[in-house]
Amino acid sequence: MTGSPHLSDEHSDSGRVRWRRFAVLTVPAVAVTAGLGIALAQGVLAASFAVSGQQFKVSASSLEGEGFAQYGGVDVNARDELIPVAVTAIREARLSNLCQSVVTTLPVIGDISLNLTAGGKTPVEASNLFVDATQLAGDAVFSNIEIGRDASTLDKGPADAQGMQDLFAQQADTVRITGLQQTAWATNAGTFKLSGLSMNVSKGKKECF
């Protein structure tokens, strides 16, 4: 998605802003690829690892986070191709009923699905969580949100959660998303505690959403 998020008219006295079914990729993909490609070449940005050629889906009944930041970024695959993404960074996050799925299509065999679930009884906990996404949807509530801040000046998320100078970004003290649905290229975290972890591989296409 390449459009800016659609902001609803709901504002509360506490300064919260509610977004419904919002897109997170807030700058045009072509501009991101060109600009971030230059930045990557100059060493301004560096991918922590080469991403695979497959995106994966993540869903959760709820996500609660402290220290939220979001900005344009770039991933690089093993062919050194640049992939524009929207980086969502959260300093401390808790997710309930987490589901992660990826589908691989193999010759002769067909579709093979890898499904991971956790956090059914006790929420999944993550610190310094970074998600490189191309799509995100849900019902979200932010507290003390700043929209349109320069990506190089972000200071509410994890310590390394900053983007390129002059690029669009947003940040908030806290975030709560219900009915989370997300498509991503990569996720990394300082710590990731998955209670009730279950992993399953099966034939056919079985995705989180």
Side-chain angles (χ1 to χ4, degrees):
M1 295 184 182
T2 59
S4 296
H6 298 292
L7 186 62
S8 77
D9 293 328
E10 296 185 47
H11 296 263
S12 69
D13 293 336
S14 63
R16 295 189 177 187
V17 181
R18 179 179 295 275
W19 290 4
R20 300 184 63 86
R21 311 297 296 178
F22 62 101
V24 297
L25 194 52
T26 53
V27 284
V30 173
V32 171
T33 303
L36 293 177
I38 294 171
L40 188 65
Q42 294 174 342
V44 177
L45 296 178
S48 58
F49 56 86
V51 301
S52 74
Q54 296 176 280
Q55 295 191 74
F56 56 93
K57 293 185 176 182
V58 177
S59 66
S61 58
S62 67
L63 178 153
E64 296 183 1
E66 298 176 1
F68 167 88
Q70 193 173 76
Y71 52 94
V74 64
D75 284 344
V76 181
N77 63 21
R79 296 181 178 85
D80 291 328
E81 296 170 336
L82 301 179
I83 303 171
V85 295
V87 179
T88 297
I90 303 176
R91 194 172 61 249
E92 298 290 341
R94 295 169 297 281
L95 301 97
S96 297
N97 298 307
L98 175 69
C99 173
Q100 178 178 301
S101 66
V102 61
V103 178
T104 301
T105 302
L106 300 176
V108 182
I109 297 176
D111 291 335
I112 300 294
S113 297
L114 171 64
N115 292 81
L116 180 151
T117 58
K121 294 182 179 179
T122 302
V124 170
E125 297 179 1
S127 64
N128 296 325
L129 176 67
F130 289 79
V131 181
D132 299 353
T134 56
Q135 177 271 336
L136 186 153
D139 295 332
V141 178
F142 300 91
S143 64
N144 297 321
I145 190 168
E146 300 171 354
I147 302 173
R149 182 162 177 149
D150 189 295
S152 68
T153 68
L154 296 171
D155 58 8
K156 291 188 176 184
D160 296 330
Q162 291 184 334
M164 286 180 60
Q165 184 175 341
D166 297 328
L167 284 190
F168 177 97
Q170 52 196 12
Q171 64 176 6
D173 289 344
T174 65
V175 58
R176 176 176 172 81
I177 303 175
T178 56
L180 171 69
Q181 294 183 345
Q182 184 171 251
T183 305
W185 285 104
T187 296
N188 61 77
T191 61
F192 207 32
K193 182 179 179 181
L194 295 97
S195 60
L197 173 63
S198 176
M199 188 182 71
N200 181 58
V201 177
S202 59
K203 292 187 65 175
K205 183 175 291 187
K206 300 177 182 178
E207 298 182 287
C208 296
F209 61 91

